Amino acid sequence: MNDDEIRQMRISFSKLDERRTGLLDTPELDVLRDRVAEIRELAVEKMDDLISEASRRLMENGIEFHLAEDADEACRIIHESLDWDTVAKSKSNTLSEIGLSDYLRRKGVRVIETDLGDRILQLAGIKKPAHPVGPALHLGVSEIAGIVRDRLGVDISDDPYEIMAAVREDILSKIESCTTGVSGANSVAAHDGAAVIVHNEGNVGRLSLMDTHILVFGIDKFVPEIEDAVSVVKLETAYATGTGVPSYINVISGPSKTADIEKMLLRGMYGASRVIAVAVDNGRSSAYPEALLCIGCGSCIVSCPVYNAIGNRFGYRGYLGGRGVVMSSFLADRETAVESGLYMCTLCGLCTEKCPVGTPTSSLMEKLRRECNAAGLYHSSHLRVAERIRRRGSPL
């Protein structure tokens, strides 16, 4: 991000804070926060049991279930499930994490982003988002209009509605004959064998109606019951967008089906005749358990002084800020964590204070720093400062 993009990002963050004012301080949100914190703590504690139960229940519901050990395996499973050279994709940190778009492009498959913000970044050739829910928050209206005019060859003004209409028309024309939709999942109920997805644009609904719908999510997304999953996504929506509920909540618990002819079960009436769920481990089973409490709302980076100063250099792929740095040590390795900003963090603790479930990100950053230091992963300049303190009693 350059200085102008960081300034624009701060403006967008301020608008989000204004929208959330009042909503986050209600008694109802207090109750929901406590409930979701308990749900996430139990889910992380019982993760292996939930994976086992979910595997059974998803398959009972007619969903093909795969447990992918790493990113390569997840991408391979998805690629082998495709029957067309174009795939429609929705916004998903997990899909960003495994590098699905680049993987499919190397295999000759065209990926069309269907979220407005992600499609804008795709048209601009920008790899990393500014926020997990608002990928293009660091771009102003005039800049976005210029990108759309240049890449789509349309004559539009710097008007948000004209931008939206032009991008929507472009997306719909490109996915018209597409037979496979790939999306993430915000929360997955193990006992019910159902994935819950929230969205405001309506694009996930379109993807779920394609012949094949592929759901991809981390194993940390499992919770026990469908009621738990809905509670999680309600809290995520409040913190991520400043609204009480999203425009759409999709519950996917199997392929489209009907039993209206002699009670025979027939698949593929209107929606997908094939639903595939890919649960991704990719280091999560060895991660700090507390790092898996996150519900993905992005509230931590809105308040983070480091992120507000330097932008998305602080974080790893779609996982932004300190929590993203912590996760990068398990999703990739400790060297990646250092490169992603491990030593940029001030350890101020605002991320934890603003987190709806109290993810102790600053404590985890401190723990990871100790481990990296012990492994010899530190900046040489820090070593020189430490030596001056040891010899002179001062860093100067």
Side-chain angles (χ1 to χ4, degrees), residues 158-235:
D158 293 358
D159 177 82
Y161 278 95
E162 288 190 36
I163 294 169
M164 181 177 70
V167 176
R168 179 180 62 227
E169 184 178 347
D170 169 66
I171 291 171
L172 291 178
S173 68
K174 287 181 169 56
I175 67 171
E176 187 176 11
S177 59
C178 192
T179 60
T180 302
V182 183
S183 75
N186 297 79
S187 197
V188 183
H191 178 71
D192 301 281
V196 177
I197 313 171
V198 296
H199 54 113
N200 286 310
E201 297 180 13
N203 57 317
V204 173
R206 287 180 178 271
L207 302 191
S208 69
L209 294 175
M210 292 180 175
D211 294 343
T212 300
H213 183 198
I214 304 176
L215 296 154
V216 187
F217 49 88
I219 57 173
D220 53 319
K221 293 295 184 182
F222 286 117
V223 295
E225 311 278 350
I226 192 73
E227 294 83 0
D228 300 327
V230 171
S231 293
V232 170
V233 300
K234 280 184 66 179
L235 187 64

Side-chain angles (χ1 to χ4, degrees), residues 161 167 229 243 261 361:
Y161 278 95
V167 176
T243 55
I261 301 175
T361 298

